[in-house]
Amino acid sequence: FIALDLSTLLVRNKRRRGVRSTTVNIPPVKATKQQVNIMSSQGPYSRYGAGGGSAGYNSGQSQGAAPGYGQGYGGGAAYGGGYGGGGASYSAPAPGGYSQQPGYSQSSGTGENFGASPDQGDSSGKGIKKSMALAALNKNVIMWAGFFTVSLFVYSMLSGGDFSFLMTYGAMARMFGFGVLNVKTFMSKRATGVSVKTLQLYCLVFFFRLTSIIRHEGYLPYDKSGDWLYHIIEILALLFTASALWGCMAPFKSTYQGDLDTFGEINVPPGMGAVYLAVPVLILALLVHPNLNSDFLSDVAWTYAMYLESVALVPQLFMFQKQTSGVVELLTAHFVAALGFGRVMEFLFWIYSYKELATSSGSKMPGYLAVFSQFMQLVLMVDFFWYYYLAVKNATPLVLPSHGSAMGIV
């Protein structure tokens, strides 16, 4: 191989076949010392074996042409080539035929280069994560943008523009929140991170509120939306809540985290901890309630629903606190945030209208209690709103800080 006399080989070959030919004198090619060193480490008969990690005699990057030594079949680049046109490339032929060299020159059909440097791998991984975060952020924006768009439509087409529309708007936010929870539960087929106790309490909230507003008009929004739209929203909210509760207790019960949803489970059967909120609030509603309907049962039912709603989220926030990782699924966070947003709307309404909630004797104590209870609920959720904002902004899971006490709520 060092000096190859091509003319001698040509004449010998043709004499064997009986063919006379004219000898063509081709001067022998002499390889330099540098070429000898290169040839000794490349090619099918190199000292390191076929395709020993070098580029080969050809460029190793042609696509569709006949492959040279070390070039990939199917247009795939050789080791470190970076084209990755599809399929694994093959090294130079050994005397026994072609063989695949599994450690080298393999590239995926997507152009993934296994010979890339660590910096390139890190940058591509960051790019993928950034794309996923952007997609999640777009979904969040679209979901809330849809809610606000419907809100504007309802306000412009179905409302009289009265200040009391804030009550309807708060009810819409609650319904939206439980709709998101149903999407989360039934599409993922999991009940993880959801407090059944909170759902039980909200079922009581909507039920008792409906028993009051269907029979009487004293606590309905003065706005035109209070004629019928407010009733429809509350009915849908009850159905959504009952549906989510059924999903957590029946088809997806195996994924329900009962070991975390333990609020109030002291001297009561498992799952009955909500009685520590429902019973005291009922006693308070019986003692202190307004008289706008002039009907004892109706007034107590509406007051009970308002008081109870102020504490209905406590088991859910307690469950968040029990999670060791502190990570909250984003759809579950949307659900809680929507309920909190609805409470903000109602708080803005009652802070100006609390004087209307007076007893038969003229005492404004029910109004004071209504404003105070809603304010305390918002105080409990301040940290949650902040971390929720960061999660939506960065399109990451909502991560809550850990606290030593059980009621360091969020």
Side-chain angles (χ1 to χ4, degrees), residues 151 154-170 219-227 345 348-349 352-353 356:
S151 302
V154 171
Y155 179 76
S156 59
M157 302 299 294
L158 303 177
S159 168
D162 188 76
F163 181 70
S164 62
F165 176 74
L166 287 176
M167 291 184 64
T168 304
Y169 198 24
Y219 300 98
L220 289 172
Y222 184 77
D223 181 74
K224 185 173 68 173
S225 60
D227 295 342
M345 295 296 102
L348 293 176
F349 173 76
Y352 288 102
S353 308
E356 297 182 13

Side-chain angles (χ1 to χ4, degrees), residues 233-311:
I233 293 173
E234 290 292 306
I235 292 173
L236 290 176
L238 175 60
L239 293 178
F240 288 164
T241 308
S243 174
L245 179 60
W246 174 79
C248 293
M249 297 302 295
F252 315 125
K253 187 176 181 179
S254 59
T255 63
Y256 166 60
Q257 297 172 311
D259 57 326
L260 301 179
D261 191 15
T262 58
F263 176 83
E265 293 192 355
I266 302 174
N267 299 324
V268 294
M272 298 294 293
V275 297
Y276 284 103
L277 294 174
V279 174
V281 171
L282 176 60
I283 296 174
L284 180 62
L286 288 170
L287 297 176
V288 183
H289 57 269
N291 194 38
L292 294 182
N293 285 338
S294 299
D295 183 274
F296 177 80
L297 293 179
S298 180
D299 289 329
V300 170
W302 185 88
T303 307
Y304 180 54
M306 183 182 62
Y307 291 168
L308 187 60
E309 186 175 1
S310 299
V311 297

Side-chain angles (χ1 to χ4, degrees), residues 319-398:
M319 187 176 183
F320 287 164
Q321 198 65 32
K322 293 281 287 184
Q323 295 177 345
T324 56
S325 62
V327 178
V328 179
E329 295 181 47
L330 201 50
L331 282 180
T332 306
H334 287 318
F335 152 65
V336 177
L339 299 184
F341 177 76
R343 209 53 171 164
V344 170
M345 295 296 102
E346 290 199 347
F347 177 74
L348 293 176
F349 173 76
W350 286 116
I351 200 172
Y352 288 102
S353 308
Y354 71 93
K355 295 180 181 180
E356 297 182 13
L357 299 178
T359 64
S360 56
S361 61
S363 173
K364 295 182 176 58
M365 182 59 68
Y368 297 144
L369 284 178
V371 173
F372 177 76
S373 61
Q374 295 178 36
F375 175 75
M376 290 305 299
Q377 179 184 3
L378 296 179
V379 168
L380 291 176
M381 298 185 67
V382 167
D383 283 354
F384 173 84
F385 282 135
W386 172 247
Y387 289 106
Y388 173 77
Y389 165 75
L390 294 179
V392 173
K393 177 184 176 182
N394 300 322
T396 58
L398 191 150

Side-chain angles (χ1 to χ4, degrees), residues 101-126:
Q101 303 295 321
Y104 301 90
S105 304
Q106 293 184 355
S107 58
S108 64
T110 59
E112 182 181 359
N113 185 2
F114 291 97
S117 63
D119 293 339
Q120 292 175 339
D122 293 342
S123 61
S124 62
K126 291 179 180 178

Side-chain angles (χ1 to χ4, degrees), residues 134-255:
L134 183 60
L137 179 61
N138 290 337
K139 291 181 180 180
N140 298 332
V141 171
I142 291 174
M143 181 174 61
W144 279 99
F147 168 71
F148 289 125
T149 301
V150 173
S151 302
L152 289 175
F153 172 79
V154 171
Y155 179 76
S156 59
M157 302 299 294
L158 303 177
S159 168
D162 188 76
F163 181 70
S164 62
F165 176 74
L166 287 176
M167 291 184 64
T168 304
Y169 198 24
M172 289 177 60
R174 287 192 298 267
M175 181 187 69
F176 169 69
F178 284 103
V180 170
L181 181 61
N182 275 270
V183 171
K184 180 263 181 192
T185 303
F186 288 96
M187 290 194 67
S188 66
K189 297 182 179 180
R190 292 184 295 111
T192 54
V194 180
S195 172
V196 166
K197 295 180 177 65
T198 287
L199 297 180
Q200 293 170 345
L201 293 175
Y202 266 102
C203 283
L204 293 176
V205 168
F206 295 127
F207 173 78
F208 280 98
R209 181 176 291 141
L210 283 170
T211 60
S212 175
I213 64 175
I214 289 177
R215 298 171 53 223
H216 301 90
E217 300 179 356
Y219 300 98
L220 289 172
Y222 184 77
D223 181 74
K224 185 173 68 173
S225 60
D227 295 342
W228 59 274
L229 181 61
Y230 187 79
H231 304 75
I232 298 298
I233 293 173
E234 290 292 306
I235 292 173
L236 290 176
L238 175 60
L239 293 178
F240 288 164
T241 308
S243 174
L245 179 60
W246 174 79
C248 293
M249 297 302 295
F252 315 125
K253 187 176 181 179
S254 59
T255 63

